[in-house]
Amino acid sequence: MQYIAPIAIGFLYALLMSFVREPHRRRLNAMMVAGAGAAYLSGGGLGGWEFAFTALVTYVAFRGLESWTWIGIGWLLHTAWDVVHHLRGEPIIPFAHTSSLGCAICDPVIALWCLRGGPSLLALARNRRGRRPSESDADVSRGTPSPTRG
């Protein structure tokens, strides 16, 4: 459960963000990754490096206001910072020893969603349910042209 719950939380995050329309979804996610970048400041487990990391993620989040790729990079940076904190025994939640490990598992799920452009999972589910691929769609996905009809 220690490994499954963080993955589920990452998917839940993407699902809840699907209720926010673009371009607000992208901008809100840029703010979220900026906040995540400052999450360790109160614990200060890595001293002055916490400030340097927060400055870096703030820059990345600023770039993310206009780019999903930068937001994904921000979540991957936060993943790395989570791993460092977990290995040093300085968890994000002081009384939950494996909280940084959980965050390090959850964040890449969110990062992958962001690197795919932060699509609405609700819209993707609707499109899959409501539309069956036609024969010509199958040909296109295989890279072969469909025969012309005339």
Side-chain angles (χ1 to χ4, degrees):
M1 193 63 170
Q2 175 180 338
Y3 304 105
I4 296 170
I7 293 169
I9 291 168
F11 279 113
L12 181 62
Y13 176 91
L15 179 65
L16 291 175
M17 284 293 168
S18 297
F19 287 101
V20 180
R21 294 179 188 245
E22 282 291 358
H24 304 296
R25 182 182 316 133
R26 185 186 64 246
R27 293 178 184 145
L28 177 58
N29 275 276
M31 291 178 11
M32 293 297 287
V33 80
Y40 285 105
L41 276 178
S42 64
L46 296 177
W49 289 107
E50 301 290 2
F51 292 103
F53 179 76
T54 300
L56 173 63
V57 174
T58 300
Y59 171 76
V60 170
F62 175 74
R63 296 292 305 267
L65 288 170
E66 301 298 327
S67 167
W68 278 106
T69 300
W70 281 100
I71 298 169
I73 290 168
W75 284 113
L76 291 175
L77 287 170
H78 195 263
T79 299
W81 207 238
D82 291 326
V83 170
V84 170
H85 274 267
H86 176 70
L87 293 175
R88 285 192 44 119
E90 300 282 347
I92 192 167
I93 302 171
F95 57 85
H97 182 67
T98 60
S99 58
S100 289
L101 175 62
C103 203
I105 296 168
C106 175
D107 291 352
V109 174
I110 298 170
L112 289 173
W113 174 72
C114 291
L115 291 170
R116 292 193 44 93
S120 169
L121 299 183
L122 299 171
L124 290 174
R126 277 189 217 115
N127 288 345
R128 282 195 184 261
R129 235 183 356 170
R131 179 178 170 261
R132 297 200 184 275
S134 67
E135 187 176 347
S136 62
D137 288 340
D139 289 337
V140 170
S141 69
R142 285 191 299 264
T144 59
S146 59
T148 58
R149 296 190 180 143

